[in-house]
Amino acid sequence: MSGNDPEKTAPEGTRLNKFIASSGICSRREADRLIESGKVKVNGITADLGTRVTENDSVEVGGRSVTCEDANIYIAFNKPLGITCTTDRRDPSNIMDYINYSERIFPIGRLDKNSSGLILLTNNGDIVNKLLRSENGHEKEYIVTLDRPYDSSFIKSMSAGVPVLGRITLPAEVIPVNAKTFRIILTQGMNRQIRRMCDYLGYKVTKLKRIRFMNIKLGSLETGKWRYLTAKEKQELLNE
């Protein structure tokens, strides 16, 4: 399932198909099919399409229990240029209003307003704090385009580390793509790190796009669209 979701959650709970989809088991459309075929039970009773659930309800899909924890929200979003990764709705370019998700979620980390690509959002504050600890060394992969062609010494310096904000950046994997473009895999998240690294070496970044965070890839997700993480993606994310 992908796309913007303006649906509002009613006071009495969350729509059952949304609850199941956000667990990563399947898409919302597939959840509807499972419900229609009688394979979903709520509190031991076969559910219908209009059923809503709360954290106190017991949900089973094909005999498998889906808990409230399973249904924590984890979203991968392909952020367009010009959108700010802030929950402050006073900022007209804030990411919350752009996505317009029906429940309170917040971004995991930041992606510059002038950068695009993969950003994760969730309602699980514990996982946010865990993932943002720099000592965990989570990989983040970017495609970067510069204002002019680079040389081999640039790649060597970017790989080894350069001074940024009073310290040397950690070693990074840097893979040339073409004369002005390269991929870089970082394991730290200093403020505007890639742009500052390139600035130090005398280059300006003209385009920066994040394509991977840990095991989660941007893939073919269209700019401005989002999707729920799959069960496999979520499992690896939570096991870190």
Side-chain angles (χ1 to χ4, degrees):
M1 185 267 180
S2 64
N4 296 335
D5 183 2
E7 177 190 343
K8 300 297 181 183
T9 301
E12 64 269 24
T14 301
R15 286 185 63 88
L16 181 57
N17 61 354
K18 180 177 179 180
F19 181 93
I20 295 169
S22 63
S23 74
I25 292 174
C26 61
S27 68
R28 190 178 299 193
R29 183 174 296 178
E30 178 61 24
D32 283 337
R33 286 196 287 265
L34 291 170
I35 295 167
E36 289 179 323
S37 64
K39 295 182 179 179
V40 180
K41 292 183 178 182
V42 176
N43 301 324
I45 300 172
T46 301
D48 57 41
L49 290 175
T51 301
R52 289 181 178 270
V53 293
T54 70
E55 61 183 18
N56 297 317
D57 291 314
S58 171
V59 178
E60 290 185 0
V61 179
R64 169 187 168 184
S65 177
V66 179
T67 67
C68 180
E69 175 58 31
D70 287 333
N72 272 338
I73 299 160
Y74 301 93
I75 284 173
F77 174 54
N78 188 349
K79 188 188 84 68
L81 295 173
I83 299 300
T84 307
C85 292
T86 179
T87 57
D88 186 352
R89 285 193 152 97
R90 293 173 297 182
D91 184 336
S93 65
N94 77 84
I95 193 172
M96 313 310 297
D97 285 341
Y98 186 92
I99 294 180
N100 194 28
Y101 193 76
S102 58
E103 298 178 29
R104 176 172 170 76
I105 55 176
F106 30 87
I108 299 176
R110 296 180 63 85
L111 196 58
D112 291 341
K113 186 174 183 178
N114 294 326
S115 300
S116 65
L118 180 64
I119 183 83
L120 304 183
L121 298 99
T122 183
N123 61 347
N124 184 348
D126 291 337
I127 196 68
V128 172
N129 294 331
K130 183 178 180 181
L131 292 175
L132 292 184
R133 295 189 191 116
S134 60
E135 62 266 28
N136 285 351
H138 302 303
E139 287 190 349
K140 296 172 285 291
E141 185 172 355
Y142 303 81
I143 296 178
V144 186
T145 301
L146 302 175
D147 60 336
R148 60 189 178 88
Y150 55 82
D151 55 23
S152 59
S153 64
F154 171 85
I155 296 295
K156 183 177 180 180
S157 296
M158 290 287 288
S159 301
V162 298
V164 170
L165 299 175
R167 52 183 170 143
I168 304 296
T169 58
L170 295 177
E173 184 176 357
V174 183
I175 306 101
V177 174
N178 59 41
K180 295 183 180 180
T181 303
F182 62 92
R183 287 171 36 222
I184 183 169
I185 301 172
L186 302 179
T187 55
Q188 64 185 139
M190 299 170 67
N191 183 34
R192 297 174 61 84
Q193 179 174 340
I194 295 173
R195 295 180 188 276
R196 292 178 189 273
M197 292 171 73
C198 294
D199 282 345
Y200 178 83
L201 296 172
Y203 295 80
K204 297 294 181 184
V205 172
T206 59
K207 185 177 180 181
L208 193 155
K209 183 176 185 178
R210 182 155 64 193
I211 59 172
R212 179 170 66 88
F213 180 86
M214 295 173 55
N215 62 307
I216 301 159
K217 297 179 180 180
L218 186 63
S220 60
L221 185 63
E222 294 180 19
T223 301
K225 300 294 185 180
W226 61 265
R227 65 172 176 82
Y228 290 117
L229 298 193
T230 66
K232 183 178 180 181
E233 287 173 332
K234 188 169 72 170
Q235 181 180 21
E236 187 166 338
L237 190 73
L238 295 175
N239 286 342
E240 280 297 316

